[in-house]
Amino acid sequence: MTTRVNEAGDVSRPSLKASSPRYGEKLIKAFLFVCAGLSVLVTTAIVISLLVPTVDFFTEVSITEFLFGTEWRPGRGTQTSYGVLPIVVGTLNITLIALVVAIPVGLLSAFYLSEYANPRLRKIVKPVLEVLAGIPTVAIGLFALYFLKPFFADLLPWVDLDGLFSQGVAGIAVGLMIVPLVASVAEDAMRAVPPGLREGAYALGATKLRVSLKVVFPAAISGIVAACVLAASRAIGETMVVLIAAGASPKLIGPWEFGESVLTMTAYIGRTATGDIATGTITYKTIFAVGALLFVMTLIMNLISIRLVRRFREVYE
Amino acid sequence: MRPQQVTMERKDAEREAVFELRNVSVFYGSQKAVNDVSMDIYRNTITALIGPSGCGKSTLLRSLNRMNDLIPDARVEGEVLYQGADMYSPRVNPVQVRKKIGMVFQRPNPFPKSIYDNVAFGPRTLGMTGDMDEIVERALRGAALWDDVKDRLKDNAYGMSGGQQQRLCIARAIATEPEVILMDEPCSALDPVSTGRIEDLMLELKERFTIVVVTHNMQQAARVSDMTAFLMVQMGADEHSRWGELVEYDETNRIFTNPADERTDNYVSGRIG
């Protein structure tokens, strides 16, 4: 491309110039660029669409009241209050309970599949896990309400599970839902650890447990943390299960209060954003403010995890 | 096609056998990889296993510390006696075997940890008592690596050159004070200078350890080993069955200058393989 072919050059020499201008290739390149650009554009558009009503919301409600208020009574009526803390706490409680279930179970399954299971068994179980990860969340919500709740009411008779809804049951349901995700992503990370590292450790007389914990686990840590972060993001953003099984009462309570019902940020948005909501009203703006906060929370979590991974990663090759 | 055993028996009286292989065959599933190998491996010698690709020399090596156990469907028939005891007896734990018999692999495979932690991994696994710093230093000195790395023990092992990484793997193997070190083509990923250093190191190490080395490099076998076993691929009746067999096992000198079997002669002189 840097030198030009002499126009008056020797005709008999073979030309290196393309026989056609190759428009097709340029067209494909342009098309692919538009596709890539579109996804960036859409993401930006989502952020802006969240941002505009949110900024509008804060002209009516102060940021301090929103972030640090402890009463969540949005909408019409005389005693409105926009303290978002109770529903943030509800979200965090559900997420915490879900992760307490999903991370140990998921990681141990991943260890089993990657290090202990017979290859034939793994070939069957891995696709099954991936199918399980695709169960509609509505079905998980119903499972929580009609199976898990009575089950835990019988299992833990000392816990007050009289109400229909419980943050504990909803959290555990979300946790069970994301177990396959954690297991699958973590297993991929463990399988990616070069077999030579395992052999080196076995040759030193290490047991399977030691190889798993001291060699495979640290070498796969970045993928394992990614699995956990993905799980947390799923749990924070989960809407349907909590809408069905967690209830609708914004409360400032700890995650250990198993039988209490809570309202999460997503469930608030889900139950408020119905057809009869008028655009431009304060309620309308509220759901966007809550959505924006949810977005910021997920973003912060992802940033923290990226730093964690950089710090603990064991780089091989 | 029996392997040559005449000369072996002559040596038995003089040297102490660490391994005694009696009609050892190794299978992967129904596929036979190594057929009917009988040989003794002697203390404080370097024994080289040579032969063309696919002749089962690595498989045979890995049956000496039960590394084949890690491969599902792998199975060893016959007897492998280690210091007189059957290594494949159901009462023997392969983990215990590997504590006594170290291994160095074809590609350097240090753990993605610090140099120090790499060497300390084995001793920690065994729960060795004593000053860990001292154990690490002794192992690194033993692998002729101490002067190169003493100022950067906390650095990641992957910052080292390939030759240094391989010597680190040797240090890691000798840190647990094994009796035998198995080496599976330890220089195949290294340049000639690093290879020379590893070979010098092997000659030093044989004072303390028994070494069995698989190599595709005949000159290397000739340079470092005391005993050489030549294995060859045998084709079965149908096209898919092929396995390795021991053709000849003798002093390295004899294998390279005056082998008893014509096939050995053809191989070491470069006419085949």
Side-chain angles (χ1 to χ4, degrees):
Chain A
M1 297 290 178
T2 49
T3 54
R4 289 180 139 262
V5 175
N6 187 358
E7 302 290 21
D10 195 344
V11 194
S12 65
R13 286 162 76 181
S15 169
L16 290 176
K17 281 196 288 186
S19 52
S20 73
R22 304 179 74 81
Y23 288 126
E25 205 164 292
K26 282 183 185 134
L27 208 72
I28 289 170
K29 196 177 159 191
F31 177 70
L32 293 179
F33 175 79
V34 168
C35 288
L38 204 66
S39 66
V40 175
L41 223 69
V42 167
T43 314
T44 320
I46 291 174
V47 174
I48 292 172
S49 75
L50 275 175
L51 222 57
V52 173
T54 304
V55 169
D56 222 17
F57 171 80
F58 285 120
T59 60
E60 294 181 42
V61 178
S62 80
I63 289 193
T64 2
E65 189 200 335
F66 181 69
L67 288 182
F68 302 108
T70 55
E71 293 285 330
W72 184 250
R73 282 193 308 275
R76 290 177 293 257
T78 47
Q79 286 204 312
T80 58
S81 170
Y82 291 92
V84 81
L85 269 184
I87 62 173
V88 170
V89 164
T91 296
L92 293 180
N93 284 356
I94 296 280
T95 305
L96 198 75
I97 295 166
L99 292 184
V100 164
V101 174
I103 288 179
V105 177
L107 289 190
L108 292 176
S109 326
F111 267 124
Y112 174 73
L113 282 180
S114 159
E115 306 302 312
Y116 288 82
N118 177 309
R120 260 166 302 199
L121 181 72
R122 177 169 55 234
K123 262 191 204 140
I124 301 168
V125 174
K126 193 79 203 292
V128 170
L129 267 186
E130 270 147 20
V131 169
L132 280 178
I135 290 183
T137 54
V138 165
I140 308 269
L142 295 177
F143 169 73
L145 206 56
Y146 295 113
F147 178 78
L148 281 185
K149 217 225 97 200
F151 173 76
F152 280 108
D154 290 345
L155 189 74
L156 314 167
W158 60 90
V159 176
D160 178 24
L161 272 170
D162 293 340
L164 193 55
F165 308 115
S166 138
Q167 62 166 352
V169 169
I172 287 172
V174 173
L176 292 176
M177 184 184 81
I178 55 185
V179 162
L181 176 82
V182 177
S184 181
V185 176
E187 201 256 359
D188 284 341
M190 292 175 192
R191 299 284 300 159
V193 174
L197 292 186
R198 293 185 182 86
E199 286 200 323
Y202 282 123
L204 290 166
T207 57
K208 218 157 212 184
L209 184 67
R210 196 169 160 81
V211 173
S212 303
L213 293 181
K214 297 284 176 171
V215 176
V216 176
F217 181 75
I221 190 75
S222 59
I224 290 170
V225 171
C228 297
V229 171
L230 221 57
S233 301
R234 275 289 308 266
I236 286 183
E238 174 48 37
T239 308
M240 214 58 204
V241 174
V242 287
L243 202 58
I244 295 174
S249 23
K251 281 184 215 149
L252 260 179
I253 52 168
W256 52 86
E257 298 196 44
F258 195 89
E260 292 289 321
S261 80
V262 291
L263 181 66
T264 70
M265 298 164 81
T266 50
Y268 167 73
I269 297 172
R271 58 193 309 127
T272 312
T274 52
D276 57 355
I277 184 169
T279 52
T281 59
I282 179 75
T283 310
Y284 176 83
K285 292 169 194 162
T286 310
I287 58 177
F288 280 95
V290 172
L293 183 61
L294 200 59
F295 174 73
V296 170
M297 281 166 63
T298 330
L299 196 70
I300 291 174
M301 209 182 58
N302 282 332
L303 290 177
I304 292 173
S305 69
I306 288 171
R307 301 206 75 158
L308 275 181
V309 167
R310 286 225 182 103
R311 187 130 175 219
F312 294 113
R313 187 153 66 142
E314 285 191 344
V315 185
Y316 45 84
E317 285 308 316
Chain B
M1 299 282 176
R2 303 299 307 170
Q4 294 289 322
Q5 293 202 333
V6 190
T7 48
M8 265 173 53
E9 276 150 25
R10 196 189 64 211
K11 296 282 169 265
D12 281 354
E14 302 164 24
R15 309 190 201 205
E16 186 192 344
V18 175
F19 287 105
E20 295 159 69
L21 280 68
R22 298 284 172 260
N23 307 103
V24 171
S25 297
V26 186
F27 297 83
Y28 294 125
S30 58
Q31 199 80 24
K32 187 187 276 184
V34 172
N35 184 39
D36 197 22
V37 171
S38 296
M39 63 190 281
D40 288 357
I41 292 167
Y42 304 104
R43 182 176 298 282
N44 294 94
T45 59
I46 298 180
T47 304
L49 306 179
I50 63 168
S53 304
C55 73
K57 49 194 193 298
S58 286
T59 302
L60 185 63
L61 185 80
R62 294 165 70 95
S63 68
L64 297 181
N65 67 341
R66 295 194 59 170
M67 282 302 272
N68 284 331
D69 289 25
L70 299 175
I71 302 166
D73 299 337
R75 170 172 110 253
V76 173
E77 279 181 8
E79 268 191 325
V80 182
L81 301 181
Y82 172 67
Q83 302 191 331
D86 182 6
M87 191 188 261
Y88 282 85
S89 142
R91 288 200 312 267
V92 171
N93 181 349
V95 168
Q96 297 301 323
V97 169
R98 297 185 202 121
K99 288 178 181 175
K100 295 256 195 323
I101 302 167
M103 191 164 192
V104 176
F105 296 84
Q106 194 166 350
R107 285 175 59 87
N109 60 347
F111 303 128
K113 303 176 188 295
S114 71
I115 294 169
Y116 185 97
D117 285 341
N118 262 280
V119 181
F121 187 92
R124 282 176 183 151
T125 301
L126 266 62
M128 276 168 74
T129 50
D131 186 358
M132 191 56 77
D133 292 355
E134 220 175 280
I135 293 173
V136 170
E137 183 177 339
R138 198 182 326 131
L140 285 169
R141 281 190 192 283
L145 198 60
W146 175 251
D147 291 328
D148 295 13
V149 301
K150 64 182 175 207
D151 299 322
R152 49 185 183 119
L153 292 174
K154 296 284 164 217
D155 290 6
N156 192 297
Y158 279 82
M160 308 165 88
S161 74
Q164 286 177 325
Q165 287 186 18
Q166 195 62 304
R167 275 184 286 147
L168 178 66
C169 292
I170 293 175
R172 190 173 69 178
I174 63 179
T176 56
E177 301 288 337
E179 282 147 8
V180 181
I181 303 173
L182 308 177
M183 296 184 170
D184 189 358
E185 303 199 23
C187 302
S188 66
L190 305 183
D191 62 86
V193 177
S194 308
T195 300
R197 299 195 66 171
I198 302 267
E199 288 177 5
D200 292 344
L201 181 59
M202 287 166 73
L203 293 172
E204 249 171 69
L205 290 174
K206 81 168 182 179
E207 305 299 324
R208 292 162 58 202
F209 307 99
T210 303
I211 298 177
V212 186
V213 58
V214 163
T215 177
H216 58 220
N217 180 338
M218 279 183 285
Q219 286 73 35
Q220 181 170 66
R223 282 194 298 265
V224 300
S225 70
D226 304 293
M227 300 290 290
T228 297
F230 171 58
L231 288 91
M232 233 181 106
V233 186
Q234 283 303 318
M235 305 299 271
D238 67 289
E239 219 162 278
H240 302 293
S241 66
R242 42 182 295 167
W243 57 81
E245 259 182 16
L246 180 63
V247 173
E248 189 170 355
Y249 176 47
D250 207 330
E251 285 181 21
T252 299
N253 224 345
R254 186 180 275 269
I255 291 279
F256 281 93
T257 54
N258 186 22
D261 196 293
E262 195 189 341
R263 292 169 296 168
T264 315
D265 195 23
N266 285 337
Y267 185 75
V268 298
S269 61
R271 277 195 286 277
I272 57 159

